[in-house]
């Protein structure tokens, strides 16, 4: 029996779509001093731009950038303007696959994120809605 889904495919795509309006780009992707300090630790303009784009993806919509995905042009432009790095440097980012993985790991640690694991799943199925907290087994 197929599982019931909460949202249709178009609703899910809408929830995870990148903002189009400038004020939404500012709200989600404007870097503060701490962000810029972390980004500027990368060597090479292409690594700074790629690292910053990964940071954007993790913040909103809250997922890593897939290796075969090209970021939206308006997001690349917005980020590249903040960093003073030409958009063309994106093509040189993560030629070494380990670069992207290392950057992702560092950003997830910096943001306090973790991959969803079996132990997270086990905790989630033990959730008691009548209690104010999660009860581990």
């Amino acid at each position: 029996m197929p599982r019931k889904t909460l949202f249709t495919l178009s609703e899910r795509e809408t929830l995870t779509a990148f903002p189009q309006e400038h004020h939404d780009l500012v709200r989600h992707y404007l870097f503060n001093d701490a962000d810029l300090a972390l980004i500027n630790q990368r060597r090479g303009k292409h690594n700074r731009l790629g690292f910053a784009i990964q940071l954007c993806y993790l913040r909103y919509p809250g997922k890593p950038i897939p290796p075969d995905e090209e970021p939206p042009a308006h997001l690349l432009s917005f980020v590249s303007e903040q960093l003073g790095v030409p958009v063309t440097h994106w093509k040189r980012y993560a030629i070494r696959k380990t670069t992207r993985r290392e950057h992702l790991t560092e950003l997830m640690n910096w943001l306090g994120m973790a991959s969803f694991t079996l132990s997270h799943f086990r905790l989630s199925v033990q959730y008691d809605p009548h209690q104010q907290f999660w009860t581990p087994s």
Side-chain angles (χ1 to χ4, degrees):
M1 173 183 233
R3 289 189 293 172
K4 185 177 178 180
T5 59
L6 215 51
F7 299 107
T8 66
L9 178 60
S10 65
E11 288 171 331
R12 284 193 307 271
E13 287 173 353
T14 301
L15 284 172
T16 60
F18 285 91
Q20 298 290 325
E21 301 295 325
H22 183 74
H23 67 276
D24 290 327
L25 289 170
V26 169
R27 183 167 54 118
H28 291 291
Y29 306 123
L30 187 66
F31 300 126
N32 62 31
D33 291 339
D35 297 336
L36 291 171
L38 185 67
I39 291 165
N40 287 326
Q41 290 175 15
R42 308 304 115 208
R43 288 191 314 242
K45 292 179 180 181
H46 59 287
N47 282 326
R48 286 193 289 279
L49 181 59
F51 190 86
I53 292 293
Q54 284 216 51
L55 175 58
C56 291
Y57 266 71
L58 287 173
R59 284 199 171 143
Y60 186 85
K63 65 177 186 170
I65 181 171
D68 57 344
E69 186 171 313
E70 187 76 18
H74 63 283
L75 175 63
L76 268 173
S77 295
F78 185 76
V79 170
S80 70
E81 284 177 34
Q82 289 183 75
L83 302 178
V85 174
V87 174
T88 55
H89 284 275
W90 170 254
K91 296 288 185 202
R92 291 189 51 219
Y93 178 62
I95 293 171
R96 247 182 78 234
K97 290 180 179 159
T98 53
T99 301
R100 183 187 295 257
R101 191 173 55 250
E102 289 168 354
H103 286 177
L104 177 61
T105 301
E106 183 177 350
L107 281 165
M108 286 180 69
N109 288 333
W110 191 67
L111 293 169
M113 300 174 96
S115 296
F116 191 79
T117 64
L118 183 57
S119 63
H120 293 111
F121 172 75
R122 287 181 178 142
L123 282 173
S124 68
V125 296
Q126 294 172 2
Y127 175 69
D128 183 350
H130 301 292
Q131 294 183 342
Q132 297 291 322
F133 54 90
W134 295 85
T135 56
S137 55

